[in-house]
Amino acid sequence: MTFYVEKSLAHGRVRFGVSPRHSLEEIDGDAALSTGQSGEFLRHRTRGFFFADTREIGSPAVPQASSLARTTFRDSLGGEGSRSLAYYALMGVGAILFLLGAAVVSRGRAAGWFEVIIGLAMIVTPIVLTAQKRRQVRAEEEKIRGQREERERREREMLDAYARALSAVRANPSEENLAAALRERQNLEVPYKVWLPLAKRTVLQIGFDALSRLGPSQAGQIADLMAHAADKVGLERADTNDVKLDLYCVVLWHLLADDRLGEAQAAQLEALRSGFGISEGSAPVEAQIAEEFHMLRGVDRESLPRKQCEIKLAFHEYCIHSTKATLFNEKGMERGTGQLYLTNKRVLVALKKPAEVELSQIDDVEVNVDTNRLTIGIARPSKPMIMAVEQPIYTAALVDIATTMVERPRGLA
């Protein structure tokens, strides 16, 4: 079997299959990375699955202003605090007078018309006043609507011009194109967060292109190119550093997906990290995941580990792995935390109401790194086991490998 790993990278979500990992001796000595000029995955291995949901760079959208005209009449009537209470009280008293007057009129007494008229006046007055207020609001909004639409049109034109300038920068990060991007950025009147994603993707693309041309050994020069472009397109220092870290993480994940993180590639990664000025603790998730993949080197069905378990084992059953696990239902609600045990026959999470599945019933295994969720798909009609564990990749791999084991009596082996 092959289990799957999902991860959101800076330029899109990736999903790849993980087969038993090669030993370090089996990894090629080619120092070339598995990342292409546009940040795409370049496969060097002939096996495995890799799917990428690349997000288009696109263009930022102008935030839409809310409109007072969308407020309903009822909300307008009840939206003026203490005055609204007075309106409701007046309408309530008016309704009572109207009903009393109508009752008197129904008995043939003309005196009841006075109460009817007064009651109607008391009911209608708040409605008329509210209608007048709404007309004033609409008139005021119409007065500023033209100004707002003109401002939004101008902002859209500025953003479009900025987006076109960045597109030119991505195609050719020349000083001329960077200067044009600087001019368009200085003209922007929208908040920084509106055009931030577009600017970051542009600098990231420049980094991918430079990395493809210069290689990790020139990481310092690549970092300078990215910093220079970031300054022109308007990124703050913290966001510039984030883009460098994003590029580093993409390169690392591509090597992991390609099962090519050997000594030669690790040296390239280290050169990239050092040249970018990225500290060793800047990407703790990636560091942990890389270590878990490293722990799986050379582990297959013939070399699965064994350890002591605190559960009662059946005949010919032995324990392979145990770790703390928090179990969730399909809606994401926590079911409890207990110890997960993997044996050569089953997966068991020891809770007050234990969750257990036979290995023969497991259909697939998947890890979502973003949510730190390990999902064990089970043959229908059973629901999947969804959990958070300390080493999701390592645990998922052991479960996946264990499902390939076929236990037979010795006489039939």
Side-chain angles (χ1 to χ4, degrees):
M1 291 180 64
T2 297
F3 79 94
Y4 289 89
V5 174
E6 286 193 24
K7 178 71 173 73
S8 291
L9 300 179
H11 59 336
R13 174 174 289 274
V14 299
R15 186 172 187 264
F16 59 93
V18 180
S19 302
R21 312 301 280 178
H22 291 94
S23 64
L24 286 176
E25 293 74 18
E26 294 175 300
I27 298 178
D28 62 73
D30 184 1
L33 302 177
S34 294
T35 302
Q37 185 176 8
S38 299
E40 75 277 15
F41 176 62
L42 295 181
R43 183 184 300 280
H44 289 250
R45 295 287 186 180
T46 57
R47 65 176 185 174
F49 306 92
F50 186 92
F51 307 95
D53 181 22
T54 304
R55 291 191 296 267
E56 296 295 332
I57 295 181
S59 179
V62 178
Q64 295 297 314
S66 60
S67 173
L68 295 178
R70 296 191 183 107
T71 306
T72 65
F73 186 88
R74 180 179 178 181
D75 291 338
S76 297
L77 184 62
E80 298 191 27
S82 59
R83 181 178 296 182
S84 296
L85 296 178
Y87 283 172
Y88 283 126
L90 186 63
M91 294 173 69
V93 174
I96 294 174
L97 288 176
F98 176 82
L99 292 174
L100 291 175
V104 173
V105 171
S106 66
R107 295 191 182 94
R109 299 179 182 178
W113 285 107
F114 178 76
E115 285 84 356
V116 169
I117 295 172
I118 295 298
L120 284 173
M122 296 175 70
I123 294 173
V124 171
T125 297
I127 297 175
V128 172
L129 293 176
T130 301
Q132 291 176 346
K133 180 65 177 292
R134 284 179 61 81
R135 282 197 296 272
Q136 294 174 359
V137 169
R138 284 195 293 268
E140 182 65 22
E141 190 171 63
E142 286 297 327
K143 181 179 179 181
I144 65 175
R145 189 186 304 278
Q147 298 175 353
R148 187 183 66 190
E149 290 179 350
E150 174 61 24
R151 184 180 68 252
E152 291 178 351
R153 183 193 62 78
R154 187 172 65 253
E155 290 175 348
R156 281 194 298 270
E157 290 180 349
M158 291 176 179
L159 279 175
D160 289 342
Y162 180 64
R164 289 193 297 271
L166 292 190
S167 179
V169 168
R170 291 192 297 272
N172 178 17
S174 64
E175 287 300 325
E176 181 182 355
N177 287 339
L178 287 171
L182 174 61
R183 288 193 298 271
E184 298 299 341
R185 189 258 297 178
Q186 291 173 336
N187 291 332
L188 291 175
E189 298 178 359
V190 296
Y192 177 68
K193 64 180 181 180
V194 173
W195 50 269
L196 170 63
L198 178 62
K200 291 181 71 173
R201 286 293 303 275
T202 297
V203 176
L204 180 66
Q205 181 57 50
I206 291 173
F208 283 135
D209 180 73
L211 177 63
S212 177
R213 291 186 290 102
L214 302 175
S217 61
Q218 301 299 317
Q221 184 179 346
I222 298 171
D224 291 341
L225 290 173
M226 294 175 68
H228 179 60
D231 179 64
K232 296 297 183 182
V233 303
L235 287 186
E236 296 177 356
R237 181 182 295 273
D239 291 312
T240 302
N241 293 335
D242 285 345
V243 175
K244 295 176 184 177
L245 182 60
D246 288 340
L247 188 150
Y248 172 82
C249 289
V250 169
V251 172
L252 172 59
W253 276 103
H254 283 172
L255 287 172
L256 293 175
D258 209 16
D259 193 10
R260 293 186 59 245
L261 189 51
E263 293 182 0
Q265 298 81 15
Q268 296 286 65
L269 266 180
E270 177 58 26
L272 188 63
R273 185 192 65 78
S274 177
F276 277 7
I278 300 173
S279 65
E280 293 185 0
S282 295
V285 173
E286 278 67 26
Q288 175 191 333
I289 296 299
E291 176 61 25
E292 291 180 45
F293 274 111
H294 180 71
M295 293 167 59
L296 293 170
R297 293 289 177 205
V299 177
D300 56 24
R301 54 183 291 183
E302 305 300 330
S303 59
L304 281 170
R306 294 198 183 191
K307 65 181 308 178
Q308 296 294 323
C309 284
E310 300 176 357
I311 58 173
K312 185 177 180 180
L313 300 174
F315 184 63
H316 282 170
E317 183 180 19
Y318 57 87
C319 194
I320 297 171
H321 177 64
S322 70
T323 185
K324 183 178 293 185
T326 300
L327 211 59
F328 298 87
N329 61 24
E330 292 182 292
K331 295 182 179 180
M333 302 295 293
E334 186 174 323
R335 292 178 53 188
T337 300
Q339 198 71 10
L340 177 147
Y341 298 100
L342 168 65
T343 75
N344 60 322
K345 296 181 180 292
R346 56 182 168 151
V347 175
L348 169 68
V349 180
L351 302 174
K352 187 174 182 179
K353 183 180 179 181
E356 181 177 352
V357 58
E358 299 292 330
L359 294 182
S360 60
Q361 296 297 307
I362 295 178
D363 280 344
D364 55 68
V365 182
E366 186 167 313
V367 173
N368 187 314
V369 178
D370 300 320
T371 60
N372 190 33
R373 293 291 185 270
L374 164 60
T375 301
I376 299 177
I378 306 173
R380 294 183 178 181
S382 299
K383 296 180 179 180
M385 294 177 67
I386 305 172
M387 65 191 77
V389 296
E390 294 177 348
Q391 296 177 316
I393 298 293
Y394 183 70
T395 302
L398 295 184
V399 172
D400 177 66
I401 296 173
T403 59
T404 67
M405 301 174 65
V406 179
E407 293 292 321
R408 299 182 181 182
R410 290 187 179 180
L412 299 177

